Amino acid sequence: MRTWIRSFQRDRFLPRPGAFAPRGAILAAVLFSLVFGRPAFAVIEGYPTDNSLAPGDTLQLHVRCTTGYRVSIWRMRLEPEHLLDAGTYPAHNFVVPPQSWATGCDWPVTCRIPVRPEWRPGLYFARIESGAAKSWLPFVVRGRVPGRTSRIAVQLSSNTWQAYNRYGGMSLYGAWVPGLTGRAYRASFHRPYLLTPADGDGPCFLWEAPFIAFLEREGIAYEVLTNYDLHRFPGILDSYRMFCSVGHDEYWSKEMYDELQRFVDNGGNTAFFSGNSIWWQVRYEDQGRTMVCYKDAALDPMNGVDNSRVTVNWQSAPINRPPARLIGTHYNGSWGVMPGAFQVVNPRHWAYRGVAVDSAQVFGYPMVAFEVDARNRFSPPVDVIATTMLTDVNNNNAQRAADMTYYERTAQYGFPNGKGGKVFAGSSVNYTQGLDAGYNPTTKTVGHIDPIARQITLNVMDRLGCEVAAPHLAVPADGSQVHTPKTLLQWYPATAQRAGVPLKYTLYWQAQGASADSLETSGISSWVSIEPDQAYRWWVRAQAECGATQASSTATFVVLRPTDSGPPDNAPPVVAQRVGDQLEIHVSLPSSSTVGLDIYSIGGRRVRSLGSRLFPAGATHVDWDLRDARGALAPSGVYFVRARIGQQVLKIKVMIVH
């Protein structure tokens, strides 16, 4: 992925094919881009009307380009994955208006692309390109029903992207055009991104995209929100079990802070894989198109009018709302911390489960860098998992602490009336450099996948995002009649939040008027002895390693005395379940038998043969990787699993959606 990112970072500043660009011209172009906020070479640049959409919405792009250009859509996985080519569009060489940093570019919509129903929630890009010039415009696809595909929400730090955005000549940090002084107090979302010449249009490639690549690599389901989504959708976190802040999550509105505070107070779990989080308060204007931040109470017209909305540091007057009370740590003023590593503080803490560590052992370099957080006088009682002390070269070589912490909203941690919300703080902007191998141009560090940092993160995701979907009963179905002294009880497998997490099942079956029998199994079926002339009910409970449990619904069946004229024994059932990027086909047999499995399209064409072999008695499963006989990914649609079991042929209909 990171090789691709380095290529991307060069794309925007390449001359057009065939253009002569001697060394002096290239240097002049780079200086021009630094001074005026955009490159001198012919470029293509743009922005979306809204950077967060749901299926059924339309992605609207505002693109400035001196020649015709192409648009394609990509989704972030381990690296950006090409989804579709959206077409070719004519040139629009729009003017960049004065003060576009505050008022936006106000370019017309030049491209409209419907968000397709099959696009899963995640981080997407519209790639706009003309010749060698390219720009990547990030946007989010939310679930139409939040929390349906995952109960983990990952937030993109889109406010911070705009705060540092130099496009038009000014950012919230200063002026970059001769003749302008001071800093901007308003930052428009309706302009392209420009941080430094090396960053192009992709601020999310610094930290957010590597974190999403980590989730994809580890098989962890997730959905994605922007900062503004947290602001504009009150109660959106009620659909989730875990909220993740990633990277440089510095700028928060009151509505954002209120939503997260309410979520944690009500028992929601939060992980800050970030640093310098919840530092400046901002306000939105123009229906979310503009972010306002004065950074000085004396300059803010809300001062003395509504002090709860004055745009200063959250722990400063007149807000006086220290985020350390929520996060457990908070920004300590660092902005030039030399890259470093954490040191183990409590090797027996649950965060280290799965790895062997000793006290003071060093891990994770360079995941502590740039800006970091530490405990302060407002912090609640916390578990200190790891800590370090590093030199801040931009602040007279001051020594800065960084603390990795955890606490719960329980009496044990000083919250006698708490509802159990769990909060983890990674306390470094550069946290993801312990999870991803690649170069970060802002921190100037080369990360790597550190085994201890990886395991801590997996343990946090499992503990805070722990969720199990209920298993579904297969056979016997509700209201069935059974004619044998033994019957096979089978269910569709439950799913955990992280693919590959082992699940255990407890099967219960109960005759009317009797106590329930039960057994534990790691499979999805079991043969049980039953009595004739009885009515039974049965159900299954799934449990993950993290402790989350979920029970199925209850089904009933009646046992009849077997007779020569009765129906045959239960047919060997076959069930199929989509798990991650494959289809699991489960076959349960009372005795060994030869089984052949094939995949057919709804039109009757054989898509893939999975072979034929002898299956043992009990439950066996075969995986289909969703690819046809040529190795191409089978398109979304309806398919049939055809199973030949001895002389019997069964067909199971499945829906595949990518």
Side-chain angles (χ1 to χ4, degrees):
M1 182 187 76
R2 304 301 266 179
T3 301
W4 180 90
I5 289 176
R6 286 194 293 272
S7 174
F8 150 77
Q9 289 163 351
R10 295 192 298 268
D11 282 344
R12 186 175 174 183
F13 305 95
L14 292 173
R16 289 185 179 182
F20 177 66
R23 184 178 303 173
I26 295 175
L27 178 60
V30 171
L31 291 174
F32 182 94
S33 69
L34 283 169
V35 172
F36 293 102
R38 57 185 187 274
F41 291 132
V43 297
I44 183 170
E45 55 193 10
Y47 56 89
T49 300
D50 191 340
N51 63 0
S52 179
L53 306 162
D57 293 340
T58 298
L59 174 67
Q60 299 185 110
L61 301 180
H62 310 251
V63 178
R64 170 179 175 260
C65 186
T66 54
T67 61
Y69 61 93
R70 300 182 304 279
V71 180
S72 55
I73 301 298
W74 302 64
R75 183 179 186 268
M76 187 66 209
R77 299 195 69 188
L78 293 178
E79 59 183 37
E81 178 183 66
H82 183 216
L83 292 185
L84 66 88
D85 292 312
T88 301
Y89 298 84
H92 296 284
N93 191 17
F94 301 124
V95 173
V96 180
Q99 298 189 352
S100 58
W101 65 84
T103 61
C105 290
D106 199 28
W107 299 336
V109 174
T110 60
C111 175
R112 292 177 172 87
I113 304 169
V115 177
R116 298 187 176 183
E118 65 268 24
W119 291 4
R120 291 179 292 159
L123 170 61
Y124 287 72
F125 303 94
R127 186 172 85 169
I128 53 177
E129 55 187 318
S130 178
K134 299 180 182 70
S135 284
W136 297 78
L137 312 185
F139 66 97
V140 161
V141 173
R142 308 185 310 275
R144 178 158 292 284
V145 179
R148 173 171 288 179
T149 61
S150 172
R151 297 195 65 198
I152 293 176
V154 176
Q155 176 174 262
L156 305 184
S157 302
S158 49
N159 286 349
T160 305
W161 303 350
Q162 289 298 350
Y164 286 85
N165 188 357
R166 299 179 177 184
Y167 192 91
M170 188 171 285
S171 74
L172 296 187
Y173 288 84
W176 310 99
V177 173
L180 294 178
T181 58
R183 63 176 185 270
Y185 304 136
R186 298 166 58 86
S188 174
F189 284 82
H190 277 207
R191 55 182 174 144
Y193 293 118
L194 180 65
L195 302 182
T196 67
D199 290 332
D201 292 326
C204 61
F205 287 113
L206 299 176
W207 295 290
E208 287 93 339
F211 186 76
I212 286 175
F214 164 80
L215 297 179
E216 291 277 346
R217 187 169 60 246
E218 300 295 345
I220 300 173
Y222 63 93
E223 294 187 1
V224 181
L225 305 174
T226 66
N227 286 150
Y228 187 52
D229 290 332
L230 195 63
H231 171 96
R232 64 175 165 173
F233 298 127
I236 191 171
L237 294 186
D238 292 343
S239 300
Y240 299 98
R241 182 179 180 87
M242 180 184 187
F243 169 85
C244 300
S245 165
V246 182
H248 197 180
D249 206 0
E250 184 176 358
Y251 290 80
W252 284 57
S253 70
K254 181 179 184 298
E255 287 77 6
M256 292 171 61
Y257 197 164
D258 289 348
E259 175 70 8
L260 185 60
Q261 183 77 64
R262 185 190 60 80
F263 176 66
V264 175
D265 287 346
N266 289 335
N269 302 326
T270 295
F272 289 88
F273 302 110
S274 58
N276 190 207
S277 303
I278 317 184
W279 179 244
W280 294 108
Q281 174 163 236
V282 300
R283 298 192 300 272
Y284 290 102
E285 295 181 356
D286 306 325
Q287 296 181 322
R289 291 179 53 179
T290 307
M291 183 176 70
V292 176
C293 187
Y294 287 89
K295 301 188 176 184
D296 187 332
L299 299 174
D300 195 329
M302 293 299 289
N303 190 29
V305 177
D306 184 350
N307 286 342
S308 69
R309 295 185 178 277
V310 174
T311 53
V312 294
N313 299 144
W314 283 98
Q315 64 187 18
S316 302
I319 307 176
N320 300 316
R321 190 179 178 183
R325 292 174 178 167
L326 173 62
I327 303 172
T329 62
H330 200 220
Y331 179 53
N332 58 18
S334 57
W335 59 284
V337 168
M338 295 295 291
F342 277 114
Q343 288 186 327
V344 175
V345 171
N346 181 1
R348 296 188 177 182
H349 195 273
W350 60 260
Y352 295 110
R353 187 184 67 181
V355 290
V357 296
D358 297 320
S359 293
Q361 182 174 340
V362 173
F363 70 90
Y365 181 92
M367 67 187 300
V368 190
F370 192 47
E371 295 178 337
V372 297
D373 300 350
R375 290 166 292 165
N376 63 27
R377 61 191 178 94
F378 301 109
S379 299
V382 297
D383 298 340
V384 180
I385 299 168
T387 191
T388 191
M389 188 72 72
L390 297 171
T391 301
D392 188 347
V393 295
N394 288 331
N395 286 279
N396 299 316
N397 292 327
Q399 296 300 296
R400 304 286 193 184
D403 298 321
M404 182 184 292
T405 64
Y406 171 82
Y407 80 95
E408 299 175 359
R409 294 298 181 97
T410 62
Q412 177 184 351
Y413 292 87
F415 296 87
N417 300 316
K419 296 183 180 180
K422 303 174 179 65
V423 181
F424 169 84
S427 298
S428 173
V429 166
N430 217 38
Y431 185 97
T432 56
Q433 286 256 282
L435 308 176
D436 175 72
Y439 177 71
N440 185 305
T442 294
T443 57
K444 297 179 174 60
T445 53
V446 178
H448 74 287
I449 301 175
D450 182 273
I452 298 175
R454 171 184 174 270
Q455 193 61 46
I456 289 173
T457 309
L458 290 178
N459 290 339
V460 170
M461 299 302 298
D462 286 347
R463 190 178 184 93
L464 276 63
C466 184
E467 189 74 14
V468 175
H472 295 282
L473 305 184
V475 289
D478 196 37
S480 294
Q481 294 182 348
V482 176
H483 296 259
T484 58
K486 280 191 173 184
T487 190
L488 180 71
L489 304 181
Q490 186 172 36
W491 53 96
Y492 292 94
T495 55
Q497 192 64 256
R498 178 160 65 94
V501 171
L503 295 176
K504 292 182 179 179
Y505 299 97
T506 304
L507 169 63
Y508 300 88
W509 68 103
Q510 181 180 25
Q512 188 173 15
S515 58
D517 291 311
S518 66
L519 63 83
E520 292 186 355
T521 178
S522 58
I524 60 165
S525 66
S526 182
W527 290 89
V528 298
S529 298
I530 50 179
E531 298 293 332
D533 299 327
Q534 293 281 351
Y536 279 82
R537 68 189 189 103
W538 72 287
W539 66 98
V540 178
R541 179 176 293 276
Q543 180 171 349
E545 282 184 334
C546 59
T549 63
Q550 193 71 258
S552 70
S553 58
T554 300
T556 61
F557 61 92
V558 175
V559 184
L560 305 179
R561 287 188 179 275
T563 64
D564 292 339
S565 60
D569 292 350
N570 288 353
V574 178
V575 296
Q577 176 82 6
R578 173 74 177 268
V579 178
D581 290 333
Q582 62 189 15
L583 186 75
E584 289 188 356
I585 304 166
H586 296 262
V587 180
S588 294
L589 304 173
S591 60
S592 62
S593 181
T594 300
V595 177
L597 294 172
D598 297 286
I599 309 298
Y600 282 83
S601 70
I602 193 171
R605 180 180 62 86
R606 188 166 71 172
V607 176
R608 178 83 174 268
S609 173
L610 302 181
S612 176
R613 61 183 174 87
L614 184 66
F615 278 34
T620 305
H621 86 266
V622 175
D623 296 334
W624 176 40
D625 61 5
L626 306 183
R627 296 186 179 274
D628 62 21
R630 297 174 298 174
L633 189 66
S636 298
V638 177
Y639 293 84
F640 289 96
V641 178
R642 184 176 182 270
R644 303 182 310 281
I645 305 173
Q647 300 301 313
Q648 186 178 21
V649 177
L650 300 176
K651 288 185 179 180
I652 306 297
K653 185 166 67 173
V654 294
M655 171 70 77
I656 301 299
V657 177
H658 298 299

